[in-house]
Amino acid sequence: MAVEEAVAMKNKGNEAFKNKDWPAAIDFYTKAIELDDTQVSFYSNRAQANIKLEAYGYAIADATKAIEIDPEFVKAYYRRAVANTAILKHSDAIHDWKIVVRKNPADKVAKAQYEACQKLVKRAAFLKAIEIADPPSAAEGLDLENMVVEEAYDGVRLKDEMTQEFIDDMIERFKNGKKIHKKYVYQIILAVKDIVYNEPTMVETTVKPDQKLTVCGDTHGQYFDLLEIFRLNGLPTDTHAYLFNGDFVDRGSWSTEIALLLYAYKWLRPDKFFLNRGNHETDDMNRMYGFEGECKAKYNERVFKLFSESFSALPLATLIGDKYLTLHGGLFSDDNTSLDDIRKLNRHNQRQPGQSGLMMEMLWTDPQTAPGRGPSKRGVGLQFGPDVTKRFCEKNGLDAIIRSHEVRMEGYEEEHDGKCITVFSAPKYCDSTENKGAYINIESDLKLQFHKFDAVPHPDIKPMAYANNGMMSMMGM
């Protein structure tokens, strides 16, 4: 009887998977496993749903269990390889790709992935070998003053200061598939790099009477959905501030457009427009998930390098009205970590977050329902329970933390007794998840007002169109 019930649960999981409701699919596969833990397909299917939710650590564990049950089950090796590749553990992935190719020599996709993985490992070793402790800026030798914008350029001209007129024109150009002149791209990135470099690691802001602050989560290169936020909620103004909580780029194929538009607003209103760094404002993720390729395709390599420098200058958190700590990932491995530790963190000494430490935790961690701390479902960072959040908020006089970093089917979720709030602003994420997007409005009473919105149509360019070595096909997009 249990066996039949387990199969029924698996079938329900498959149905939810078909409908792109990954959390529901995982729930059904889990129930199937609880009823019958001997079926390789239950673990393999759950691994694939976890990949869709970017829970790569869980996917690796499920695929490993499937391989223990049946060492000949090729799909499990394939899924474990995909998950390891996704979290940049290429050396682990190579082992599994090799097995898949050996067992399925006719599988052209696996063969291409195996070869791509080998190249990635070689490239990583090469980059490490030529790494300079303090490399010269990509701005060196850039003579902006004498760079000519041709007469034929049909957009609004930019002088020494950002203008609303330039931004309005840029929004329309990007909507119509046009670019801005590369001189203006350089000007925008360099101006914003200087502004954010001089901001503290934790920016502190308040919401005055008759003003509003909107907090947005991941936008991931989904430019047309960003414009939908502005359409529904109003453009940034002197009385309407915005905070974008990381992961502006990668995956979606309009990442340069989003980064340039957000940067232009930052330049126009540095005290009314805030940007936190996310785990995708980092070199290794940009190389894998499309932003580097997109910069090169639309502009040039120097543009990517300048963006990279500006990303590493971004603040890591914003404190709103002394009540809400807003940061991309989440809380810390040590209960003694305080707001003062964030204030004191010199982010300029460490350009990339690395595999451990305060910066990595701020960009990578996730909440869990169980108390205490646990290993990360992503395979990077850690997870923190409601008790960890409660202690942190009490110790630092906070109402809640606001974080992003994870898809939520309703666009946002209040967890940990309302003290941990996730907001995610990329609806129909990667064109492959049936989630809503959300944003949070905060007025001077500091109450959180949640707003959900649906994805809007976009030109027919697939997500990850510029990603490294066929990542798109590998991730099943």
Side-chain angles (χ1 to χ4, degrees):
M1 191 64 199
V3 173
E4 284 171 20
E5 216 179 312
V7 171
M9 285 297 153
K10 183 196 86 162
N11 292 339
K12 282 184 177 177
N14 291 351
E15 193 59 33
F17 191 94
K18 206 162 69 184
N19 294 327
K20 300 180 180 177
D21 186 347
W22 322 125
I26 287 168
D27 284 345
F28 285 124
Y29 294 142
T30 301
K31 283 172 183 157
I33 288 164
E34 283 164 359
L35 290 161
D36 181 359
D37 62 2
T38 65
Q39 298 304 309
V40 69
S41 65
F42 297 177
Y43 289 100
S44 179
N45 289 9
R46 191 170 70 175
Q48 183 62 9
N50 274 314
I51 286 169
K52 292 290 191 181
L53 272 181
E54 298 177 24
Y56 301 118
Y58 286 178
I60 290 163
D62 277 341
T64 302
K65 183 70 184 168
I67 290 162
E68 282 170 14
I69 295 169
D70 181 2
E72 296 303 309
F73 193 71
V74 180
K75 217 179 256 185
Y77 291 100
Y78 192 99
R79 285 172 181 168
R80 191 166 69 179
V82 167
N84 272 313
T85 303
I87 54 174
L88 314 181
K89 292 188 174 172
H90 303 304
S91 303
D92 292 338
I94 272 184
H95 171 75
D96 286 337
W97 287 127
K98 193 174 181 180
I99 291 170
V100 174
V101 170
R102 195 178 70 236
K103 288 179 180 292
N104 271 357
D107 187 335
K108 287 179 183 167
V109 174
K111 193 163 185 284
Q113 287 310 326
Y114 178 45
E115 287 164 6
C117 213
Q118 287 175 307
K119 279 184 194 157
L120 285 166
V121 170
K122 282 178 188 158
R123 185 183 180 191
F126 172 71
L127 288 168
K128 196 158 184 58
I130 62 164
E131 202 169 48
I132 307 164
D134 201 6
S137 169
E140 273 193 23
L142 195 57
D143 184 6
L144 282 179
E145 274 184 38
N146 293 308
M147 195 176 285
V148 176
V149 177
E150 299 79 10
E151 285 293 316
Y153 182 73
D154 61 351
V156 169
R157 306 269 159 159
L158 182 63
K159 297 202 169 69
D160 296 330
E161 292 294 328
M162 182 52 65
T163 64
Q164 189 63 55
E165 184 194 15
F166 183 88
I167 291 177
D168 293 344
D169 178 65
M170 181 167 68
I171 287 172
E172 288 305 311
R173 291 183 76 76
F174 289 165
K175 261 191 349 202
N176 296 320
K178 291 181 171 183
K179 295 180 286 193
I180 58 171
H181 196 279
K182 71 172 182 288
K183 175 178 180 174
Y184 301 151
V185 174
Y186 295 143
Q187 276 182 271
I188 291 167
I189 302 171
L190 290 170
V192 172
K193 185 178 115 176
D194 284 346
I195 292 166
V196 298
Y197 188 93
N198 290 310
E199 289 182 324
T201 295
M202 183 175 76
V203 172
E204 303 186 38
T205 189
T206 55
V207 187
K208 293 177 180 154
D210 302 321
Q211 298 199 343
K212 179 163 70 173
L213 170 64
T214 299
V215 181
C216 298
D218 303 31
T219 47
H220 273 303
Q222 295 186 195
Y223 178 71
F224 294 86
D225 296 316
L226 170 64
L227 295 189
E228 179 70 353
I229 294 173
F230 290 150
R231 186 187 74 79
L232 293 168
N233 195 49
L235 290 165
T237 64
D238 287 335
T239 57
H240 186 175
Y242 272 83
L243 162 58
F244 283 84
N245 195 28
D247 283 14
F248 328 124
V249 302
D250 280 340
R251 296 188 180 276
S253 295
W254 290 270
S255 292
T256 56
E257 286 81 0
I258 283 194
L260 288 167
L261 179 55
L262 298 185
Y263 272 27
Y265 273 123
K266 179 66 182 172
W267 188 7
L268 184 66
R269 293 191 185 84
D271 302 327
K272 295 281 190 301
F273 200 88
F274 305 100
L275 300 169
N276 286 343
R277 189 178 189 178
N279 67 304
H280 276 267
E281 279 70 55
T282 54
D283 286 355
D284 52 1
M285 300 301 271
N286 294 160
R287 287 189 188 113
M288 175 65 87
Y289 287 100
F291 185 58
E292 181 187 45
E294 187 181 332
C295 286
K296 287 177 178 175
K298 291 179 181 173
Y299 296 101
N300 55 40
E301 187 171 16
R302 180 177 243 160
V303 166
F304 171 68
K305 286 182 170 170
L306 288 172
F307 265 126
S308 165
E309 289 175 30
S310 73
F311 288 166
S312 65
L314 287 167
L316 301 179
T318 303
L319 182 64
I320 302 168
D322 292 327
K323 290 294 180 193
Y324 302 105
L325 175 66
T326 310
L327 73 175
H328 183 71
L331 294 180
F332 312 100
S333 54
D334 184 350
D335 267 350
N336 292 316
T337 303
S338 68
L339 294 181
D340 269 344
D341 292 311
I342 301 172
R343 286 186 184 101
K344 287 179 206 153
L345 177 65
N346 185 345
R347 69 192 189 280
H348 301 312
N349 284 346
Q350 183 188 346
R351 290 199 53 197
Q352 303 301 324
Q355 295 296 307
S356 61
L358 207 57
M359 186 193 290
M360 184 280 289
E361 291 175 1
M362 292 174 77
L363 298 184
W364 275 99
T365 62
D366 296 297
Q368 63 180 27
T369 52
R373 293 177 173 85
S376 169
K377 61 188 170 193
R378 293 173 190 271
V380 182
L382 58 103
Q383 293 182 180
F384 57 95
D387 54 329
V388 175
T389 305
K390 184 170 186 270
R391 287 193 297 270
F392 182 83
C393 287
E394 283 172 0
K395 185 176 165 186
N396 292 284
L398 298 171
D399 284 2
I401 65 160
I402 299 173
R403 41 90 62 183
S404 303
H405 194 38
E406 289 181 283
V407 176
R408 290 292 185 263
M409 295 308 284
E410 291 302 308
Y412 74 95
E413 189 173 356
E414 298 176 88
E415 299 164 81
H416 294 184
D417 301 316
K419 292 190 182 303
C420 177
I421 289 137
T422 299
V423 59
F424 191 84
S425 305
K428 200 162 182 169
Y429 180 44
C430 288
D431 289 350
S432 67
T433 302
E434 293 300 327
N435 64 295
K436 293 186 182 303
Y439 51 88
I440 305 169
N441 283 332
I442 306 174
E443 294 177 14
S444 57
D445 62 2
L446 295 183
K447 298 274 188 286
L448 303 182
Q449 305 158 31
F450 298 98
H451 297 270
K452 297 190 279 192
F453 68 102
D454 291 315
V456 292
H458 60 72
D460 188 21
I461 300 170
K462 297 286 182 277
M464 308 246 288
Y466 304 95
N468 200 331
N469 295 310
M471 269 293 285
M472 185 173 72
S473 62
M474 189 185 79
M475 304 302 281
M477 290 176 179

